[in-house]
């Protein structure tokens, strides 16, 4: 959806991404679709919208669910943006445990790999 963000209407790809984001992910970006769209216009995340192409570089193993969260899995994706340098993103997906989205795989986190090292300290 992000590759063709503005089809069939403006920011429809970002709306799909928001719809399949976990509550935690939504809250960290302001909580509303409007705030998510404003955030997504930053140069890093924005490189994924209307990009030329992407490639899945790797898929991590499924990490089993625990008593407090659903199963998790990471996906490493290289994005070739319409403008600017190629970027690699690590998407962490988590299976929702609660209705109404129970069983769906949702975006738990998406970080640009070039920025990920700073998060290890």
């Amino acid at each position: 959806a992000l590759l063709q963000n503005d089809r069939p209407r403006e920011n429809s790809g970002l709306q799909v991404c928001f719809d399949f984001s976990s509550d935690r992910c939504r809250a960290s970006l302001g909580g509303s679709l409007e705030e998510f769209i404003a955030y997504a216009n930053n140069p890093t995340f924005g490189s994924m919208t209307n990009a030329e192409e992407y490639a899945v570089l790797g898929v991590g193993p499924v990490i089993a669910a625990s008593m407090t969260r659903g199963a998790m899995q990471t996906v490493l994706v290289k994005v070739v943006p319409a403008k600017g340098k190629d970027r690699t993103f690590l998407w962490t997906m988590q299976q929702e445990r609660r209705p109404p989205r129970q069983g769906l795989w949702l975006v738990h986190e998406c970080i640009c790999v070039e920025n990920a090292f700073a998060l290890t300290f």
Side-chain angles (χ1 to χ4, degrees):
L2 292 176
L3 281 178
Q4 298 177 9
N5 181 53
D6 295 325
R7 290 186 196 155
R9 64 189 174 289
E10 185 177 5
N11 292 319
S12 60
L14 287 170
Q15 183 174 354
V16 169
C17 189
F18 180 81
D19 290 345
F20 284 92
S21 293
S22 69
D23 292 340
R24 178 180 175 260
C25 182
R26 288 178 179 185
S28 71
L29 302 174
S32 72
L33 175 60
E34 293 75 23
E35 290 172 297
F36 179 72
I37 289 171
Y39 167 81
N41 285 320
N42 76 61
T44 304
F45 194 89
S47 67
M48 289 188 282
T49 59
N50 297 312
E52 294 292 324
E53 63 181 284
Y54 74 93
V56 174
L57 301 178
V59 177
V62 173
I63 301 167
S66 72
M67 295 290 288
T68 58
R69 61 155 178 78
M72 298 180 83
Q73 189 169 34
T74 56
V75 182
L76 191 63
V77 178
K78 178 184 175 185
V79 175
V80 178
K83 297 177 186 173
K85 64 180 183 172
D86 295 0
R87 289 207 152 98
T88 303
F89 292 88
L90 183 65
W91 291 77
T92 302
M93 310 300 288
Q94 183 173 342
Q95 197 169 31
E96 181 60 57
R97 295 169 50 116
R98 296 174 294 166
R101 300 187 293 171
Q102 186 174 14
L104 294 178
W105 284 89
L106 304 176
V107 177
H108 177 71
E109 180 177 70
C110 177
I111 58 175
C112 184
V113 171
E114 67 191 57
N115 300 330
F117 183 72
L119 298 175
T120 63
F121 291 99

